[in-house]
Amino acid sequence: MRKYLYIFKTEVMTNLQYAFDILIGFVSYCIMIFIFLNLWHYIYSDPKELINGYNMNQMIWYVIITEILWMSLGGRKLCKKICEDVRSGNIAYNINKPYNYVEYSLSNHLGLVTVRFILVGILGMVLGLVFLHSTPIQSIFQVIAVIVSCFLATVINILLITSLGLISFFIEDANPFYWIYSKMILVIGTLFPIEFFPQVLQPIIKYSPIYVVSYGPAKLFVDFSLDSFIGIIIAQIIYLIIGFSVCHLIYNKGVRKLNVNGG
Amino acid sequence: MLTEVKNQFKVAFTSIKYALQREMLNKVTFITNILFMILNNSCFIVQWIILYSLKENVGGYTLKEVLLLWGLAASTFGASRFFFKDAFNLTEVINDGKLDVYLIQPKNVLISCITSSVDVSAIGDMAYGYIMLFIYGISIKNFLLFTFFTICGALTITAVSIIFSSLTFWFGKIDIVANTINSLMTSFATYPDGIFKGVIKVLFYTIIPIGFINYLPVKIISDFNICYLLMVIFVAILFITIAFVVFYKGLKKYSSSNLMNVSV
């Protein structure tokens, strides 16, 4: 465990050197929030009106939180790196090192996400407070609960993306799988809470990863309750176990097929 | 003069053809990239179906018009990335001194540079555009107008990217500005202009000209207006001219980095 903590720490220190560059890279986050601010202002004729149980402020905060989670993730970079490692044979250098590639990827990428999460989190909170003047969160316990849920959501997301990247062992380019995954999360998990989807689809989405990586933490932020907190954390732990198992399964199967030429 | 232009086009198309053939070496990857891009874009239909279940009219657009807007945004974006991929990496090309290889060729430097590689997944974007047109309602008139606006839009998007990327000649590492403008164009282009108010609407018809790339063309396809059509053509020509002028003015300030590079 200590070696992974060391990898995580090194990655955090490296990324802190580029904090300003990372912050500039969040222009698209600001654009997204600006678009949704306008869109929900247009949809809600009265800001206090409830649509599917959410008022306008809750809807905008929901998008702010889900976008913080998504933007800080850097999933495309992770998937691309894993695909490249497999395709170029770089992964061979990791195999003979005293760590597991999956855990190495997780701790390494978590280092990047931590810095990004703090920066985009501050940015998102500032944007939310400037445009909406208040937050739905009311106590320190709620803040801690949301942060724990966000952390678990991020770890699950990294594991799922890692498993998509590892598909490169079997087909040449696994990036298209990531595109679909990212769009599913973006459209179904980021833009609208589950309650906005047809009744038939709601149970399916609740059992999908979208519930634990996107909806859960954002729901806790906009409408906290102890019951929903316990339910979301349990679901996240189950998905965490599934994520780890799937990653190891694909990696162990794939690494046996690995063929590296050259030296 | 005309022969020179003809030859230049010939070279550009040959370059694109070879770049495409290179990408087609692995057919499975080639086809998956295209199909998954279509699927990828299709996911956003869900977003609009939900929004239209809340309100019948969003920003003055019906659901079909929004799908057409999305389709046109995808096809213009796709055409620009497919034919002129390197126009969107121009800051890197200039900063790394990679222009040397194009400077020694007896052809137009800018065109040779921006047509040197293709983005295969962009074919999926273009195909998605036509699928959206099909859903909107296809007719010979709509097909021709849509194709024409895809070409105009792709040229305008590319020109805007070239203009902002060319600032690298004067200001060095300015990729953040070029990337932000590209990102603004892509993000706003898929939402109806009616939801925005104030200064931002002025930007749509000036430095991020998506008004001329997407909004006016959709209005023309749904309700033909010759004035709007002429405006779209005029703006495309204007931006292309500015792009060439800015690039060649900047090129005089270009200094090589002695990077060894071979273009095959």
Side-chain angles (χ1 to χ4, degrees), chain A:
Chain A
M1 191 66 189
R2 269 181 65 190
K3 57 193 169 196
Y4 297 115
L5 272 174
Y6 188 76
I7 295 167
F8 169 75
K9 208 175 116 189
T10 314
E11 195 58 24
V12 169
M13 298 308 286
T14 311
N15 282 292
L16 278 176
Q17 305 299 317
Y18 304 105
F20 185 68
D21 290 343
I22 293 174
L23 203 59
I24 287 175
F26 288 134
V27 174
S28 52
Y29 174 79
C30 299
I31 299 168
M32 209 55 207
I33 299 302
F34 178 77
I35 289 173
F36 272 85
L37 197 77
N38 280 277
L39 187 63
W40 288 118
H41 265 292
Y42 187 88
I43 300 280
Y44 279 88
S45 36
D46 172 16
K48 292 211 163 48
E49 175 194 356
L50 286 180
I51 301 179
N52 295 319
Y54 293 83
N55 62 32
M56 192 188 77
N57 280 13
Q58 282 178 311
M59 276 313 298
I60 297 170
W61 274 115
Y62 182 89
V63 177
I64 289 176
I65 300 299
T66 50
E67 285 285 343
I68 288 175
L69 282 166
W70 187 246
M71 287 281 182
S72 59
L73 187 67
R76 185 196 298 258
K77 194 177 173 188
L78 174 67
C79 189
K80 210 172 168 184
K81 187 182 175 298
I82 294 171
C83 288
E84 276 305 306
D85 277 354
V86 176
R87 273 157 64 179
S88 65
N90 262 350
I91 202 163
Y93 296 108
N94 296 87
I95 289 171
N96 59 7
K97 292 220 168 80
Y99 54 65
N100 181 284
Y101 182 75
V102 173
E103 270 106 73
Y104 163 77
S105 289
L106 175 65
S107 48
N108 189 52
H109 197 72
L110 260 181
L112 168 73
V113 178
T114 306
V115 178
R116 289 172 65 109
F117 183 82
I118 294 168
L119 294 174
V120 75
I122 295 169
L123 184 66
M125 290 299 132
V126 171
L127 284 175
L129 287 171
V130 167
F131 289 120
L132 306 170
H133 312 295
S134 65
T135 75
I137 214 111
Q138 278 160 9
S139 71
I140 293 291
F141 173 71
Q142 288 179 12
V143 175
I144 296 167
V146 172
I147 291 174
V148 169
S149 180
C150 285
F151 173 74
L152 289 173
T154 303
V155 175
I156 296 164
N157 236 332
I158 293 176
L159 288 171
L160 294 178
I161 294 169
T162 304
S163 57
L164 291 178
L166 289 172
I167 295 176
S168 298
F169 276 122
F170 310 98
I171 63 160
E172 194 184 302
D173 189 2
N175 279 308
F177 289 96
Y178 171 74
W179 300 343
I180 299 297
Y181 174 78
S182 67
K183 284 299 173 295
M184 293 289 280
I185 299 286
L186 200 67
V187 176
I188 303 175
T190 308
L191 308 180
F192 309 101
I194 294 175
E195 292 82 353
F196 277 68
F197 290 88
Q199 292 284 339
V200 199
L201 290 177
Q202 287 184 20
I204 302 168
I205 302 171
K206 275 190 177 164
Y207 286 108
S208 75
I210 291 160
Y211 181 78
V212 290
V213 302
S214 205
Y215 173 83
K219 174 75 178 170
L220 287 178
F221 188 91
V222 298
D223 186 18
F224 187 88
S225 78
L226 201 59
D227 283 348
S228 56
F229 172 65
I230 294 166
I232 288 163
I233 294 292
I234 290 172
Q236 287 184 318
I237 291 169
I238 294 169
Y239 256 101
L240 202 63
I241 297 165
I242 295 172
F244 260 112
S245 314
V246 171
C247 268
H248 282 284
L249 190 76
I250 299 176
Y251 177 73
N252 291 336
K253 268 196 176 291
V255 89
R256 275 187 231 130
K257 281 172 64 86
L258 188 68
N259 230 325
V260 179
N261 299 314

Side-chain angles (χ1 to χ4, degrees), chain B residues 90-110:
Chain B
L90 203 56
T91 50
E92 195 190 310
V93 173
I94 298 166
N95 273 328
D96 295 351
K98 289 178 186 165
L99 272 181
D100 296 12
V101 75
Y102 305 106
L103 283 167
I104 52 164
Q105 289 172 5
K107 292 287 164 200
N108 186 291
V109 181
L110 179 59

Side-chain angles (χ1 to χ4, degrees), chain B:
Chain B
M1 169 79 177
L2 210 63
T3 322
E4 206 175 302
V5 174
K6 206 174 134 191
N7 281 342
Q8 185 60 57
F9 272 110
K10 241 182 178 174
V11 172
F13 274 106
T14 313
S15 173
I16 292 167
K17 193 178 99 185
Y18 285 135
L20 183 64
Q21 282 175 344
R22 267 200 309 271
E23 296 291 335
M24 284 172 79
L25 280 175
N26 189 330
K27 287 206 169 50
V28 177
T29 310
F30 179 79
I31 292 166
T32 4
N33 270 319
I34 295 169
L35 289 179
F36 274 64
M37 184 50 82
I38 296 173
L39 261 175
N40 174 42
N41 289 340
S42 308
C43 291
F44 279 99
I45 295 176
V46 177
Q47 174 191 344
W48 289 108
I49 290 173
I50 291 173
L51 284 170
Y52 276 92
S53 70
L54 304 175
K55 209 163 182 143
E56 275 179 21
N57 184 303
V58 179
Y61 285 65
T62 62
L63 177 60
K64 277 191 171 180
E65 281 168 343
V66 161
L67 293 182
L68 181 67
L69 184 74
W70 242 103
L72 191 61
S75 63
T76 49
F77 176 90
S80 65
R81 257 59 171 195
F82 179 74
F83 292 106
F84 313 111
K85 186 187 171 190
D86 282 329
F88 302 91
N89 303 325
L90 203 56
T91 50
E92 195 190 310
V93 173
I94 298 166
N95 273 328
D96 295 351
K98 289 178 186 165
L99 272 181
D100 296 12
V101 75
Y102 305 106
L103 283 167
I104 52 164
Q105 289 172 5
K107 292 287 164 200
N108 186 291
V109 181
L110 179 59
I111 296 178
S112 302
C113 172
I114 64 175
T115 55
S116 59
S117 58
V118 296
D119 183 352
V120 170
S121 58
I123 299 174
D125 284 317
M126 288 190 274
Y128 175 77
Y130 283 92
I131 294 169
M132 290 300 104
L133 177 68
F134 186 77
I135 294 172
Y136 174 79
I138 198 152
S139 64
I140 294 173
K141 185 198 103 189
N142 285 354
F143 179 82
L144 292 175
L145 281 173
F146 189 86
T147 308
F148 180 73
F149 291 133
T150 298
I151 298 166
C152 277
L155 290 170
T156 313
I157 292 175
T158 311
V160 174
S161 181
I162 292 167
I163 294 167
F164 285 97
S165 302
S166 297
L167 298 179
T168 309
F169 288 119
W170 290 277
F171 305 108
K173 216 165 158 42
I174 203 161
D175 48 336
I176 183 69
V177 177
N179 292 342
T180 305
I181 295 292
N182 288 335
S183 178
L184 280 169
M185 285 203 289
T186 324
S187 306
F188 284 118
T190 49
Y191 291 89
D193 51 343
I195 64 167
F196 303 105
K197 290 175 199 151
V199 189
I200 192 78
K201 279 199 162 182
V202 180
L203 293 180
F204 291 162
Y205 292 92
T206 49
I207 57 166
I208 41 170
I210 48 165
F212 298 104
I213 299 168
N214 292 87
Y215 298 140
L216 282 187
V218 167
K219 284 189 179 113
I220 297 167
I221 292 175
S222 46
D223 184 14
F224 189 79
N225 183 322
I226 189 77
C227 291
Y228 286 170
L229 182 68
L230 292 173
M231 274 161 77
V232 170
I233 298 169
F234 173 74
V235 169
I237 295 169
L238 181 72
F239 272 94
I240 294 165
T241 314
I242 297 172
F244 270 94
V245 171
V246 175
F247 179 82
Y248 279 98
K249 277 228 176 265
L251 193 60
K252 287 178 187 157
K253 293 196 170 286
Y254 174 72
S255 56
S256 164
S257 64
N258 286 331
L259 182 80
M260 293 289 285
N261 208 346
V262 179
S263 178
V264 184

